[in-house]
């Protein structure tokens, strides 16, 4: 079969039936990967706002307000999360340009998606040492304060040893979380990024 | 908020070009359900981008960009598997004596195109839709020189695929 003959036939095809009334489609939600990622981000934000909101109110009011410093710490962490969500949202908005040329859209997706995964990995790993520091400096002294004990070192453990144990555990956990996050990010986006890169290579070939 | 006149204009243009959208869907999906999903997604993406369409390029160029971007990079495929076209998905032709033969040829063409890599599929589609190299460059962002080389290679691959399938049947 000659390609030119097939081209003629191609142009004589009658259009297939369209799934449904076109107007009805306009109100539907996009199921593209970026739209889904944006929806997931919104769900995460809502969960953080609700859980942090409840925790902050609890620490402001419980124990006759003796733990209100914790409420301020949670408020600060909540604000850090808002910055984190804003950054992710900005990256997602920059990730696609559907009316751009196919090559430029692919290139943009690869660049921004790689930035997004790096940020995901960095934020997911950095949270461990930050949480450890926060627990050591704020959470544990506060709970000991509430329980009536003001000593950091108990049961004969020296201060230096306690620091070393915390530090060792933090380093181990951070390394473990780094690899766990790396695996997770690769599982979530690795194949998609590779596929996009392959198509970009096809365009340049 | 887009006005109802704007919506009517949009729907009229999409109705006029729906054949192009369906062809993109047919080349990038095989199952009926996936095809409908992709069609819906393309219309949604077109509607989202509609307020920014200022007519700097032809409507069809703009439509092909969005349709191909959605098909190529917008949707993640669940599984890569070749499924041959079923009867209900065959392209239709006006009633003539050789209608069956034409439909069979088109079925072979669709199946052969689907075996090409995603980018080659887009190049072949634009060729079949009689787009010139300038328009193809404007849609795909590939220089005309590279496009000519890709076009020759894609046509060769397509011929081979069609021949293989004919002998296989």
């Amino acid at each position: 079969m000659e390609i030119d003959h097939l081209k003629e036939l191609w142009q004589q095809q009658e259009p297939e039936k369209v799934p449904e009334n076109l107007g009805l489609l306009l109100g539907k939600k996009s199921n593209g990967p970026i739209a889904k990622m944006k929806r997931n981000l919104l769900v995460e934000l809502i969960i953080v706002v609700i859980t942090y909101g409840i925790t902050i109110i609890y620490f402001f009011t419980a124990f006759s307000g003796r733990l209100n410093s914790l409420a301020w710490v949670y408020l600060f962490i909540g604000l850090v999360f808002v910055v984190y969500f804003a950054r992710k949202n900005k990256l997602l908005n920059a990730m696609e340009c559907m009316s751009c040329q196919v090559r430029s859209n692919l290139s943009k997706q690869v660049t921004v998606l790689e930035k997004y995964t790096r940020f995901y990995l960095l934020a997911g790993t950095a949270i461990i040492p930050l949480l450890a520091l926060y627990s050591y400096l704020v959470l544990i002294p506060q709970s000991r304060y509430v329980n009536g004990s003001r000593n950091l070192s108990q049961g004969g453990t020296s201060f230096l040893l306690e620091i070393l144990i915390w530090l060792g555990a933090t380093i181990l956990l951070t390394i473990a979380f780094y690899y766990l996050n790396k695996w997770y990010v690769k599982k979530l986006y690795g194949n998609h990024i590779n596929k996009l890169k392959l198509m970009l290579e096809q365009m340049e070939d | 908020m887009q006005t109802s006149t704007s919506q009517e204009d949009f729907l009229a243009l999409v109705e006029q070009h729906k054949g192009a959208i369906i062809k993109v869907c047919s080349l990038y999906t095989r199952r009926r359900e996936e095809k409908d999903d992709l069609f819906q997604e393309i219309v949604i993406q077109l509607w989202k981008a509609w307020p920014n369409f200022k007519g700097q390029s032809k409507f069809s160029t703009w439509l092909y960009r969005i349709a191909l971007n959605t098909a190529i990079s917008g949707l993640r495929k669940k599984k890569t598997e070749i499924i041959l076209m079923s009867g209900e998905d065959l392209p239709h032709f006006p009633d003539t004596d050789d209608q069956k033969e034409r439909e069979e040829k088109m079925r072979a063409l669709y199946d052969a195109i689907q075996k090409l890599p995603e980018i080659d599929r887009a190049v072949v589609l634009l060729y079949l839709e009689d787009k010139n190299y300038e328009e193809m460059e404007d849609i795909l962002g590939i220089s005309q020189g590279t496009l000519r080389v890709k076009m020759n290679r894609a046509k060769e691959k397509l011929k081979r695929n069609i021949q293989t399938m004919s002998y296989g049947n």
Side-chain angles (χ1 to χ4, degrees):
Chain A
M1 275 185 272
E2 279 305 314
I3 302 289
D4 286 338
H5 168 63
L6 291 172
K7 183 178 175 179
E8 274 173 37
L9 283 182
W10 175 273
Q11 286 166 7
Q12 291 164 12
Q13 296 175 79
E14 285 181 346
E16 278 180 56
K17 245 179 27 190
V18 174
E20 54 184 299
N21 185 321
L22 282 177
L24 290 178
L25 298 181
L26 305 186
K28 294 201 172 176
K29 279 182 187 168
S30 165
N31 273 320
I34 292 166
K36 280 184 187 164
M37 283 159 84
K38 277 186 187 174
R39 284 202 286 272
N40 289 343
L41 190 65
L42 184 66
V43 171
E44 279 178 48
L45 178 65
I46 291 169
I47 292 171
V48 165
V49 167
I50 292 172
T51 52
Y52 271 68
I54 292 169
T55 312
I56 289 164
I57 292 168
Y58 173 76
F59 282 126
F60 266 129
T61 53
F63 306 106
S64 315
R66 277 188 295 167
L67 289 184
N68 66 5
S69 56
L70 268 185
W72 287 109
V73 172
Y74 271 99
L75 195 62
F76 173 73
I77 296 172
L79 288 174
V80 171
F81 265 115
V82 170
V83 173
Y84 165 79
F85 286 126
R87 168 78 180 147
K88 268 180 132 181
N89 190 49
K90 194 177 166 193
L91 285 172
L92 286 175
N93 284 334
M95 209 174 277
E96 65 181 359
C97 172
M98 297 309 259
S99 55
C100 291
Q101 290 176 335
V102 175
R103 182 182 182 165
S104 121
N105 182 49
L106 277 177
S107 169
K108 187 187 266 268
Q109 277 202 27
V110 170
T111 311
V112 183
L113 199 54
E114 282 185 329
K115 248 189 219 176
Y116 185 86
T117 52
R118 272 199 301 274
F119 178 67
Y120 197 113
L121 182 63
L122 185 75
T125 307
I127 200 150
I128 300 301
L130 290 177
L131 271 179
L133 190 69
Y134 161 70
S135 306
Y136 192 77
L137 295 179
V138 183
L139 209 58
I140 293 173
Q142 285 281 0
S143 81
R144 283 172 180 168
Y145 174 70
V146 169
N147 292 332
S149 164
R150 286 167 190 270
N151 297 326
L152 280 174
S153 310
Q154 288 186 333
T157 314
S158 74
F159 176 69
L160 187 65
L161 187 62
E162 193 174 281
I163 292 274
L164 283 175
I165 291 170
W166 269 96
L167 206 62
T170 304
I171 291 171
L172 279 177
L173 265 177
T174 306
I175 293 171
F177 258 76
Y178 171 78
Y179 284 104
L180 187 72
N181 276 322
K182 201 171 174 179
W183 168 82
Y184 188 60
V185 161
K186 199 175 170 192
K187 185 174 157 56
L188 277 182
Y189 306 110
N191 285 342
H192 190 56
I193 292 176
N194 288 341
K195 194 190 101 181
L196 295 176
K197 280 185 174 171
L198 185 73
M199 285 193 289
L200 262 177
E201 277 171 24
Q202 280 176 25
M203 293 193 116
E204 281 150 20
D205 184 18
Chain B
M1 191 77 181
Q2 295 175 50
T3 63
S4 59
T5 323
S6 163
Q7 184 169 325
E8 280 166 23
D9 292 345
F10 172 78
L11 287 174
L13 279 166
V14 171
E15 183 69 36
Q16 204 181 316
H17 292 84
K18 69 184 177 192
I21 306 177
I22 293 168
K23 283 172 187 165
V24 171
C25 296
S26 299
L27 292 188
Y28 286 92
T29 61
R30 291 315 299 243
R31 295 172 202 272
R32 164 56 59 189
E33 190 191 323
E34 285 177 357
K35 207 186 275 187
D36 290 347
D37 286 347
L38 183 56
F39 183 90
Q40 176 179 315
E41 189 61 31
I42 291 172
V43 174
I44 292 170
Q45 293 298 339
L46 286 168
W47 179 233
K48 269 171 68 182
W50 175 242
N52 298 322
F53 176 67
K54 306 286 181 223
Q56 294 100 328
S57 56
K58 285 202 289 189
F59 180 79
S60 65
T61 303
W62 178 80
L63 179 139
Y64 274 114
R65 279 185 188 176
I66 293 178
L68 286 170
N69 274 326
T70 309
I72 288 174
S73 61
L75 287 180
R76 292 205 222 181
K77 290 189 186 74
K78 289 163 198 153
K79 239 184 195 179
T80 309
E81 102 185 82
I82 304 279
I83 304 163
L84 295 179
M85 272 195 163
S86 66
E88 62 165 321
D89 292 328
L90 277 175
H92 301 290
F93 287 92
D95 276 343
T96 50
D97 294 341
D98 59 348
Q99 184 190 0
K100 267 262 176 287
E101 193 194 328
R102 284 163 172 233
E103 285 177 356
E104 283 305 317
K105 281 181 180 171
M106 270 301 100
R107 183 214 293 254
L109 179 62
Y110 271 99
D111 288 338
I113 297 174
Q114 287 221 325
K115 287 187 175 171
L116 296 174
E118 281 95 342
I119 302 303
D120 284 356
R121 264 184 254 176
V123 172
V124 169
L125 167 77
L126 296 174
Y127 159 77
L128 293 171
E129 290 289 289
D130 211 22
K131 299 287 170 200
N132 60 37
Y133 282 107
E134 202 178 320
E135 280 177 286
M136 287 188 201
E137 183 182 20
D138 204 12
I139 293 165
L140 298 172
I142 303 176
S143 71
Q144 292 185 37
T146 310
L147 269 172
R148 284 174 208 278
V149 176
K150 288 191 83 60
M151 180 67 76
N152 288 334
R153 283 193 209 150
K155 279 185 185 173
E156 281 307 313
K157 281 188 217 167
L158 194 59
K159 268 188 198 168
R160 276 200 302 273
N161 287 350
I162 292 172
Q163 275 168 1
T164 314
M165 287 164 61
S166 307
Y167 290 127
N169 284 337

